Amino acid sequence: MLRTIGVGLAESVAVAAASTFLSLLLSPFHVVIYTARRRVYYPAFGVMYVFGIPIPVPQIAVQEQIARLAVNIGGALIPLILSTYIFAKLPALYMLGTVLAALAASVAVYFMSRVVPGVGVVTPGFLPPIVAFLFSLWAGRLTPAVAYIIGVYGTLLGADVYNIRKILAQMPPLASIGGAGVWDGIYLTGIMAATLGLLFR
């Protein structure tokens, strides 16, 4: 993949090995980037005794809910760093097309994703990589590298960033972008899209 954009063999191997190793190693770790708090009011009853007789008294109870938004290091941050590195290595001729293709792919991924309470954001397994690959063909001839960028950024934006309001509205204790680590859609979509680019370039 990196060789297609002019990166030397030694550097390509080093970058690929380091990103894979770090993704596997750091998948269990999350970095909290935002904390949301919400007060929930609900009816309750207290008991007041008058001459020894218990009398129920309506009250309003308050409960504070806390939701934390985090980024998984192995499943989101490492792929994001790698895709940004690849983007910086692209010839200037392909940069604008790659950005537009990634934005278009993110919209497509958004419409095929859904927020499942207690689970997170789910997307059809093989559709995002295919979408990323098809948009990479439109963006230019550097298909594997561009497909990886589009796969990572398209999934990150379309599945997670665009759905943040819906996710936080459910007030989960911890919502992590790329939370499944190397099994997350961000990581897998980039790898699968790049593989399609290598097979069909």
Side-chain angles (χ1 to χ4, degrees):
M1 176 177 65
L2 295 173
R3 298 299 304 279
T4 61
I5 56 174
V7 179
L9 177 60
E11 185 178 353
S12 298
V13 172
V15 170
S19 63
T20 302
F21 174 75
L22 289 174
S23 291
L24 290 169
L25 180 67
L26 300 175
S27 286
F29 300 101
H30 309 271
V31 178
V32 176
I33 58 174
Y34 177 74
T35 301
R37 289 180 170 82
R38 181 174 66 186
R39 287 187 174 182
V40 178
Y41 299 88
Y42 57 93
F45 289 93
V47 177
M48 181 177 65
Y49 291 89
V50 179
F51 300 112
I53 301 173
I55 300 175
V57 179
Q59 296 178 341
I60 299 295
V62 180
Q63 181 184 30
E64 185 178 54
Q65 296 179 337
I66 299 177
R68 293 178 175 85
L69 179 65
V71 175
N72 183 273
I73 299 177
L77 188 58
I78 299 299
L80 185 62
I81 291 172
L82 178 58
S83 60
T84 303
Y85 166 81
I86 295 171
F87 180 78
K89 294 284 186 177
L90 290 179
L93 177 65
Y94 297 100
M95 286 186 168
L96 179 59
T98 301
V99 170
L100 294 177
L103 291 174
S106 71
V107 174
V109 172
Y110 171 75
F111 281 109
M112 67 177 70
S113 66
R114 59 194 178 95
V115 179
V116 178
V119 177
V121 181
V122 296
T123 57
F126 291 100
L127 286 182
I130 293 173
V131 167
F133 168 68
L134 293 176
F135 275 108
S136 71
L137 294 176
W138 172 79
R141 64 179 179 81
L142 302 175
T143 308
V146 172
Y148 183 82
I149 296 169
I150 295 173
V152 170
Y153 272 96
T155 306
L156 174 69
L157 293 172
D160 293 294
V161 174
Y162 297 166
N163 283 307
I164 281 180
R165 287 181 179 271
K166 296 179 183 177
I167 296 169
L168 292 180
Q170 300 174 4
M171 298 299 291
L174 178 67
S176 183
I177 297 173
V182 294
W183 301 108
D184 195 86
I186 297 172
Y187 185 90
L188 291 178
T189 299
I191 295 296
M192 294 171 67
T195 301
L196 289 174
L198 288 169
L199 292 175
F200 297 102
R201 63 173 177 159

